[in-house]
Amino acid sequence: MEPCQGPRETTRPPSFAVPPLACDCHSHILGPVERYPYVENRSFTPPDASPQAYLAMLGALGIERMVVVQPSVYGADNRRTADAVGELGVGRARGVAMVGQNVDAAELRALDDAGIRATRFITTAGGGPSLDNLPGVARKVAEVGWHIEMYVPLDTWPKVLPVIETLPVSVVFDHMGGLKADVPDDDPILGQILRLLDTGRHWVKLCGYRNSQAGYPYGDVTPLARRFVERVPERCVWGTDWPHTAIKGRMPDDGELLDLLGEWVPDVDTRKRILVDNPARLYRFA
């Protein structure tokens, strides 16, 4: 199994003033593997990505709040993510776990007390629960007020989107639903995701360099991101995806990714809503 690149050692500052209490809503903390072993059925093997390195990157960006998302390489072993939230500080950090439909109420309460606010379904890589678990997991996490974050292959959406309509919890479409940057306006999957967002129950995460067809500097993603921002600015959040696992070629610079958000959202008030107000609601920051 080929190992991943590590994150950049330096990050350039963004070109615009980041508002106080801005939040990076998508990151992963990894390792050390001796303490937090990876699952056998993973799709990649990442190097360590420590809380200290993550905070250094956020410091360069001027971002004060953060959401640590369970990576697929840990499966449903949420110790690294929960510990990371504690190490970063529950006053400024939240977490997204990965649980199955057999999770018990005591475990959910313990994770919630640790700052976890959602669970994740990722089937683009090995390690996560089956989508067949989705209704059962939704019933369980509804009891603690969590939402579900989803990153699945495009060809699974026709089967999954009707199920989402029936769930008792909100869903966050990670990585802009995994849609390609050149998706046409009349694409049925895009249309159905937009209709779900229009209900006011669901969210989309503007974490979009993986959606690019052209590659760096990812300018082809701008029309897709603006579709979401113009349609539902009150349901958009943003994330870096640090430390950018399983990336081939050029490692993204998170300062450049934040500048992309500036291109997608030139209005300062709307940008503040996406960076500060929306994450505070979704992840229940004080």
Side-chain angles (χ1 to χ4, degrees):
M1 191 178 297
E2 186 177 346
C4 300
Q5 299 182 70
R8 285 178 174 269
E9 293 185 3
T10 60
T11 301
R12 74 163 179 77
S15 60
F16 63 87
V18 175
L21 301 180
C23 185
D24 173 11
C25 293
H26 200 97
S27 66
H28 309 292
I29 302 298
L30 299 153
V33 70
E34 297 80 12
R35 182 175 177 188
Y36 303 103
Y38 300 141
V39 295
E40 290 295 327
N41 64 329
R42 64 190 183 275
S43 297
F44 56 89
T45 301
D48 288 358
S50 69
Q52 295 75 22
Y54 180 45
L55 288 175
M57 185 279 291
L58 290 183
L61 299 186
I63 288 181
E64 299 175 60
R65 288 175 170 171
M66 61 222 69
V67 178
V68 181
V69 177
Q70 176 80 347
S72 62
V73 293
Y74 286 128
D77 179 355
N78 293 293
R79 292 177 299 153
R80 173 69 276 191
T81 295
D83 287 353
V85 173
E87 292 166 49
L88 294 164
V90 291
R92 63 178 175 177
R94 295 288 185 268
V96 176
M98 195 182 298
V99 301
Q101 61 186 355
N102 294 324
V103 64
D104 61 39
E107 181 179 352
L108 288 175
R109 284 195 299 270
L111 288 168
D112 191 70
D113 289 344
I116 304 298
R117 294 294 180 263
T119 192
R120 186 185 199 205
F121 277 82
I122 174 171
T123 60
T124 56
S130 164
L131 286 170
D132 293 337
N133 283 195
L134 184 55
V137 169
R139 287 191 294 271
K140 289 288 186 71
V141 303
E143 297 176 7
V144 285
W146 290 5
H147 62 269
I148 290 175
E149 306 203 350
M150 300 197 68
Y151 188 34
V152 302
L154 282 174
D155 61 5
T156 65
W157 279 131
K159 176 182 176 182
V160 174
L161 289 170
V163 177
I164 289 175
E165 295 188 59
T166 71
L167 299 180
V169 298
S170 298
V171 165
V172 175
F173 296 99
D174 271 353
H175 302 284
M176 295 192 283
L179 293 160
K180 300 302 182 185
D182 59 357
V183 63
D185 287 337
D186 61 354
D187 181 78
I189 294 174
L190 172 64
Q192 196 165 356
I193 289 175
L194 289 172
R195 285 190 293 274
L196 285 168
L197 293 170
D198 284 342
T199 66
R201 295 186 61 236
H202 306 294
W203 301 74
V204 62
K205 196 174 287 187
L206 304 176
C207 182
Y209 68 93
R210 293 186 189 270
N211 307 70
S212 176
Q213 299 285 84
Y216 179 81
Y218 320 116
D220 60 324
V221 179
T222 297
L224 174 61
R226 286 182 175 170
R227 280 187 179 108
F228 291 116
V229 174
E230 292 167 5
R231 184 79 165 247
V232 283
E234 74 285 0
R235 313 298 291 185
C236 295
V237 294
W238 174 84
T240 60
D241 196 26
W242 188 93
H244 313 291
T245 57
I247 286 291
K248 304 291 185 183
R250 187 184 191 278
M251 178 58 62
D253 183 305
D254 295 284
E256 293 179 346
L257 296 182
L258 189 50
D259 277 348
L260 268 183
L261 178 68
E263 294 179 22
W264 301 342
V265 192
D267 179 72
V268 172
D269 291 337
T270 304
R271 204 157 60 220
K272 176 182 176 294
R273 173 183 276 191
I274 292 169
L275 286 172
V276 181
D277 303 332
N278 294 350
R281 280 196 297 133
L282 179 61
Y283 297 101
R284 300 188 336 233
F285 283 102

